[in-house]
């Protein structure tokens, strides 16, 4: 597309990052937190850099405030050998797991790698029966448009007849945001979907359009969230991927869809 840039040079798609977020119903107990201490060694083949996470504890007694920190988990990084940029990040804290991919390798590779690490974490920390509060998948797309003295057009990227765009957005102004959400049920699971659209335009910088789509599974009628399971996470990821593509196909123009290769 003319005058349009993507986040990473040479990228063939607009996806900035794809992220899996798993929230536990309860914090990890002392036994699991102790085992978590050796996580970098267990995942050293996939993640070469690690940093310990600390939680801050504050107490007030007799008018005195005391604070202390304690180990709460790890942040593991996979760095590209060719660019020194961050490709993957794994965060494991006492109440959540986050898998973030910043160099998107395609859906099947992203899904399979994430599901494998989730299964390995479940086995390593004995989480097969540790209740999960929710599993979410987040997709972030960004477009940079060198507007200069050109007039802003919503139709540069967006299908103006999309069911996700109200009339109030179609006023031609370059700065706007639209946050919306809905609940749906599928295959015995309840999902909350949040679609956040926004633009930014800093002085002497390209105009930025961001699409943030979050699909969260918050309930399951068949007990799937009673523990952490890689197959369950994989099924939820597939649902999220399908819904994200469906949303983008409705939201974006044919030219934009071709530009990012969404359906190729």
């Amino acid at each position: 597309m003319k005058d349009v840039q993507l986040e990473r040079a040479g990228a063939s798609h607009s996806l900035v990052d794809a992220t899996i977020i798993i929230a536990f119903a309860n914090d990890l107990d002392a036994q699991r937190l102790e085992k978590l201490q050796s996580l970098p060694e267990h995942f050293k083949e996939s993640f070469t850099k690690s940093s310990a996470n600390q939680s801050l504890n504050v107490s007030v007694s007799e008018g005195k405030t005391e604070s202390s920190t304690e180990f709460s988990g790890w942040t593991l990084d996979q760095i590209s050998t060719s660019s020194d940029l961050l490709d993957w990040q794994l965060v494991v804290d006492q109440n959540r797991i986050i898998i973030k991919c910043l160099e998107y390798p395609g859906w099947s590779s992203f899904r399979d790698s994430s599901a494998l690490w989730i299964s390995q974490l479940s086995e390593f920390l004995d989480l097969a029966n540790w209740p999960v509060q929710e599993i979410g998948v987040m997709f972030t797309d960004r477009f940079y448009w060198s507007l200069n003295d050109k007039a802003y057009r919503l139709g540069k990227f967006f299908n103006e007849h999309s069911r996700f765009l109200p009339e109030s957005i179609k006023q031609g102004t370059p700065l706007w945001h639209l946050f919306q959400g809905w609940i749906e049920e599928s295959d015995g699971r309840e999902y909350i979907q949040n679609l956040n659209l926004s633009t930014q335009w800093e002085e002497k910088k390209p105009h930025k359009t961001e699409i943030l789509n979050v699909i969260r599974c918050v309930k399951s009628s068949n007990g799937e969230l009673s523990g952490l399971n890689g197959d369950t996470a994989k099924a939820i990821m597939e649902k999220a991927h399908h819904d994200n593509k469906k949303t983008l196909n409705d939201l974006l123009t044919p030219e934009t869809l071709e530009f990012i290769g969404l359906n190729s």
Side-chain angles (χ1 to χ4, degrees):
M1 297 180 76
K2 187 177 181 180
D3 301 321
V4 176
Q5 300 87 42
L6 300 176
E7 185 86 2
R8 284 199 178 190
S12 60
H13 51 75
S14 57
L15 194 64
V16 176
D17 66 68
T19 304
I20 312 295
I21 304 170
I22 299 170
F24 296 120
N26 305 296
D27 287 356
L28 298 180
D29 57 21
Q31 181 180 358
R32 289 175 172 83
L33 202 57
E34 178 67 26
K35 195 165 188 178
L36 185 58
Q37 296 269 5
S38 60
L39 185 74
E41 178 66 22
H42 192 75
F43 280 83
K44 64 182 180 181
E45 291 186 6
S46 299
F47 298 91
T48 56
K49 183 180 177 182
S50 62
S51 58
N53 302 332
Q54 303 287 330
S55 61
L56 176 65
N57 300 316
V58 179
S59 61
V60 179
S61 178
E62 298 181 355
K64 295 183 179 180
T65 302
E66 296 183 353
S67 63
S68 62
T69 59
E70 61 182 11
F71 171 78
S72 63
W74 291 97
T75 297
L76 308 183
D77 294 338
Q78 182 186 111
I79 308 297
S80 170
T81 56
S82 60
S83 66
D84 289 330
L85 296 175
L86 180 62
D87 282 352
W88 290 86
Q89 187 172 77
L90 171 64
V91 178
V92 185
D93 273 326
Q94 54 192 0
N95 60 0
R96 63 180 182 171
I97 294 170
I98 301 173
I99 300 174
K100 176 179 285 191
C101 176
L102 295 99
E103 180 61 24
Y104 185 65
W107 174 250
S108 60
S109 180
F110 169 79
R111 176 201 61 204
D112 294 344
S113 294
S114 299
L116 174 63
W117 291 327
I118 290 168
S119 296
Q120 290 175 339
L121 283 167
S122 181
E123 181 178 357
F124 176 63
L125 295 173
D126 188 22
L127 300 173
N129 296 303
W130 198 258
V132 173
Q133 180 173 312
E134 65 177 62
I135 298 177
V137 187
M138 181 173 69
F139 303 93
T140 306
D141 289 86
R142 289 195 193 116
F143 302 93
Y144 295 89
W145 181 11
S146 299
L147 270 177
N148 300 321
D149 58 350
K150 302 178 183 67
Y152 175 78
R153 293 185 296 107
L154 181 68
K156 176 72 173 181
F157 303 117
F158 293 102
N159 167 24
E160 296 188 48
H161 301 291
S162 170
R163 63 193 178 98
F164 298 112
L165 298 178
E167 289 299 320
S168 58
I169 294 297
K170 304 172 186 178
Q171 305 303 314
T173 57
L175 295 176
W176 55 273
H177 69 266
L178 176 65
F179 299 165
Q180 55 191 298
W182 58 95
I183 298 174
E184 66 174 56
E185 293 186 3
S186 176
D187 298 325
R189 305 184 188 105
E190 183 177 297
Y191 293 88
I192 297 177
Q193 301 213 25
N194 296 102
L195 178 62
N196 300 337
L197 313 175
S198 63
T199 63
Q200 296 178 36
W201 198 6
E202 300 179 33
E203 187 177 359
K204 296 182 180 180
K205 290 187 178 181
H207 181 272
K208 180 170 74 173
T209 297
E210 181 172 281
I211 303 169
L212 178 65
N213 197 9
V214 186
I215 298 98
R216 300 157 50 211
C217 177
V218 295
K219 289 182 183 178
S220 176
S221 61
N222 54 19
E224 289 176 314
L225 300 183
S226 60
L228 184 61
N229 180 280
D231 290 338
T232 297
K234 193 172 185 177
I236 293 170
M237 282 188 271
E238 282 290 356
K239 160 70 173 172
H241 175 59
H242 173 271
D243 285 2
N244 185 58
K245 286 189 69 172
K246 183 179 178 181
T247 296
L248 292 180
N249 271 301
D250 182 288
L251 188 63
L252 301 176
T253 65
E255 183 185 8
T256 306
L257 293 171
E258 182 178 359
F259 175 63
I260 63 176
L262 183 70
N263 300 309
S264 59

